[in-house]
Amino acid sequence: MKQIILSILVILISVSATAQTLSLKEAKELALKYNPDLLAQEEATKSSKNGLWQSYLNLIPSANLTGSYAKFNDPRTIGLESADDSKSYGYSITQPVFNGGKIWLGARIANDVYKISKESLNNKTLSTVADVESKYFTVLENKNLFEISQKDLQSSQSNVEIAQVRYDSGSLSKAELLQFQSELASKEVSLIQRENLYEISLLELANFLQIDKVEELAEIPIEIHQPTLDLLSSKSLAELDEMIEEIINIGEDSNPTLKISEISIRTNKKSLLMAGGNFLPSVNLQYSNNWSKYDFQEDYNESGQLGVNLSVPIFPLVNNGLEVAKANHNLKQSKYSFESASDAIKLSLQSSLINLVASAKTVKSSKLAMEYSMETYEQMQERFTLGVITANDLLSVEVMFTSAQNQYTSSFYNFLRAKSTLQLLMGTSDSQVLEDIISN
């Protein structure tokens, strides 16, 4: 019976621990739901959409209702009658016919503003996902480095115990024993630093996700990425031309920054046309109807009016000309900015891909280095126990092994960050898009 209860408790504890584990997918969902910067951009997009609808309403007729009541201090003589007060009400309808294209172009510019806001939201969404991934990878990296430091400390403690036995037997000098003890103290300091970095990275991730605390993160096994690592590490820089071309094509179509620059050019073209429209006349159609009466009258007098308002700009022409020149300069500036942004993003895409390949190669090399150094350390540890080598020999190999483990861990997470950065520049959060390009 006790064994059954114990088994149930173990299962419950395991389920509880699993429930507290946060996966990368869940972290992304939390960030997309609660991140303040992203929520602020969503509200800005909604605001620009309202502005778009407001601009469309300027294209339809506008109507106004009027009404008045006047009480005279002294009676007024109207014809043969005397009036103490008067009442009137009415309405007017105005339909813009032509205003130099300002209303229509204004609506199209508002549409461009809305498109820019949507692309800004897309960019903020992509950058939020990339930030989550980066912070998530940093936590896992610091955790693994902390665990390596723990194992390194345990190994150092074992070496001190062995050194103490050899010192007591007279086969090891006091200086060599002190070397091991000093190394142990240094490892304790290193462990404290690693733990501190791990805890801080957990707090940063929790703050970014707008949650109280992150208990545990789901690990990312390297085996999942091993096929991609193998493909990339086998490629030479000369074989990247085709991949670079595909990635640049996707980036040109999907990168939000480039899209915003393209829309800005179209917006400035419309602004130039609008500035030129200042030289053209404005035509508005207006219809009004009014009813009025004095207190001595039984019925209201009705009066209606249909008219066309025509306005031709004459002065100041210089201001209008300067407005056209200003709009023309803004258009040229937006074109140059687009060229600059396009070149910068193409260069960044190429650099990111090369960095991704280099990261994959580094993971492969550092893994081999770790395996060789581990085998060497195990052999040297046995030889030290037998008294064949000195303390310096063992300590130097121990440092090499620890360094190799740290390098392998950091290189793997640097690879994941490089992949995330490349996807951000491509304008996609779907990792399969990049995987397909790599596998082709």
Side-chain angles (χ1 to χ4, degrees):
M1 184 65 181
K2 290 183 178 180
Q3 291 181 344
I4 295 175
I5 295 175
L6 182 60
S7 300
I8 294 174
L9 288 175
V10 170
I11 293 173
L12 290 175
I13 292 172
S14 300
V15 171
S16 176
T18 304
Q20 293 177 349
T21 301
L22 182 69
S23 68
L24 179 57
K25 181 181 178 181
E26 291 169 339
K28 291 178 184 179
E29 291 173 351
L30 286 172
L32 294 177
K33 188 175 181 180
Y34 297 115
N35 185 264
D37 292 335
L38 183 59
L39 294 177
Q41 186 57 52
E42 288 178 355
E43 294 302 321
T45 302
K46 293 176 182 178
S47 176
S48 65
K49 185 176 182 179
N50 292 334
L52 173 61
W53 284 109
Q54 184 179 8
S55 67
Y56 283 152
L57 293 176
N58 292 330
L59 298 171
I60 64 176
S62 61
N64 294 304
L65 292 175
T66 60
S68 67
Y69 171 79
K71 180 70 175 178
F72 307 131
N73 290 332
D74 298 320
R76 292 187 180 182
T77 302
I78 308 298
L80 300 177
E81 301 291 339
S82 177
D84 292 326
D85 59 52
S86 67
K87 302 175 183 177
S88 67
Y89 66 92
Y91 67 87
S92 63
I93 299 175
T94 302
Q95 171 62 57
V97 178
F98 181 77
N99 287 274
K102 293 180 182 178
I103 297 178
W104 172 248
L105 289 172
R108 302 314 302 159
I109 289 176
N111 185 53
D112 288 343
V113 171
Y114 177 52
K115 289 180 179 179
I116 288 175
S117 185
K118 288 199 298 183
E119 291 301 329
S120 297
L121 176 59
N122 183 36
N123 188 44
K124 177 56 69 175
T125 301
L126 292 173
S127 62
T128 299
V129 170
D131 287 342
V132 170
E133 291 178 339
S134 178
K135 294 181 184 298
Y136 193 97
F137 299 151
T138 299
V139 172
L140 291 181
E141 180 184 6
N142 287 333
K143 178 186 176 183
N144 290 340
L145 292 175
F146 173 54
E147 291 172 349
I148 291 172
S149 186
Q150 286 179 314
K151 293 177 181 178
D152 192 26
L153 179 63
Q154 293 172 359
S155 178
S156 185
Q157 289 172 340
S158 299
N159 290 337
V160 168
E161 292 173 359
I162 296 172
Q164 185 66 51
V165 171
R166 288 189 55 191
Y167 173 73
D168 294 339
S169 64
S171 62
L172 190 72
S173 66
K174 180 67 174 179
E176 289 178 307
L177 175 63
L178 290 174
Q179 280 184 293
F180 281 105
Q181 292 174 337
S182 175
E183 186 69 16
L184 176 62
S186 176
K187 296 292 176 62
E188 290 174 347
V189 174
S190 178
L191 180 64
I192 294 172
Q193 293 173 339
R194 292 296 186 187
E195 184 179 16
N196 185 49
L197 287 174
Y198 173 53
E199 293 297 333
I200 290 175
S201 60
L202 278 173
L203 291 175
E204 290 178 348
L205 178 61
N207 179 68
F208 190 80
L209 299 179
Q210 295 293 291
I211 58 179
D212 293 334
K213 188 177 181 181
V214 176
E215 295 290 344
E216 187 71 24
L217 296 184
E219 293 288 341
I220 301 178
I222 191 172
E223 292 76 17
I224 297 176
H225 298 274
Q226 195 61 54
T228 303
L229 286 166
D230 292 338
L231 285 171
L232 287 173
S233 59
S234 64
K235 292 182 180 295
S236 64
L237 295 179
E239 296 175 320
L240 299 182
D241 290 343
E242 186 175 347
M243 289 179 61
I244 289 175
E245 184 178 354
E246 290 186 58
I247 287 173
I248 288 178
N249 289 335
I250 294 175
E252 289 178 334
D253 292 336
S254 304
N255 187 278
T257 302
L258 277 184
K259 285 188 174 182
I260 290 173
S261 296
E262 289 177 339
I263 297 171
S264 297
I265 292 175
R266 297 198 295 268
T267 301
N268 284 315
K269 287 181 179 178
K270 296 181 181 74
S271 298
L272 179 58
L273 292 174
M274 184 181 290
N278 291 331
F279 294 98
L280 301 176
S282 298
V283 181
N284 294 295
L285 182 65
Q286 185 175 38
Y287 175 75
S288 62
N289 206 354
N290 293 279
W291 291 266
S292 63
K293 60 171 287 189
Y294 293 99
D295 56 350
F296 60 81
Q297 294 176 316
E298 293 183 3
D299 299 321
Y300 283 90
N301 296 320
E302 181 181 358
S303 62
Q305 179 180 345
L306 175 64
V308 176
N309 295 329
L310 176 65
S311 175
V312 180
I314 298 178
F315 295 106
L317 294 179
V318 176
N319 284 355
N320 293 336
L322 291 175
E323 189 69 25
V324 171
K326 177 183 176 182
N328 188 45
H329 290 310
N330 289 337
L331 175 59
K332 291 181 180 179
Q333 178 188 3
S334 63
K335 290 181 179 179
Y336 291 133
S337 296
F338 173 74
E339 292 179 6
S340 176
S342 179
D343 292 340
I345 288 174
K346 288 179 182 178
L347 178 60
S348 297
L349 286 167
Q350 294 180 58
S351 300
S352 295
L353 179 59
I354 293 173
N355 184 47
L356 181 65
V357 174
S359 299
K361 292 178 182 292
T362 303
V363 173
K364 181 179 180 180
S365 299
S366 59
K367 183 179 181 181
L368 290 174
M370 183 186 68
E371 292 172 350
Y372 293 149
S373 62
M374 179 177 64
E375 185 176 353
T376 302
Y377 177 66
E378 289 174 351
Q379 293 179 0
M380 297 295 279
Q381 202 171 28
E382 292 179 5
R383 296 180 68 184
F384 175 74
T385 304
L386 297 174
V388 178
I389 62 173
T390 65
N392 284 331
D393 293 332
L394 178 61
L395 289 175
S396 62
V397 175
E398 184 181 28
V399 170
M400 180 182 66
F401 177 46
T402 302
S403 176
Q405 292 180 86
N406 291 339
Q407 185 179 29
Y408 174 63
T409 299
S410 297
S411 65
F412 174 60
Y413 290 106
N414 286 337
F415 165 76
L416 295 180
R417 280 188 284 263
K419 185 179 177 184
S420 179
T421 300
L422 180 55
Q423 290 178 188
L424 173 62
L425 289 170
M426 291 171 62
T428 178
S429 59
D430 185 4
S431 60
Q432 192 60 44
V433 176
L434 181 57
E435 294 288 348
D436 291 341
I437 295 175
I438 294 173
S439 59
N440 289 337

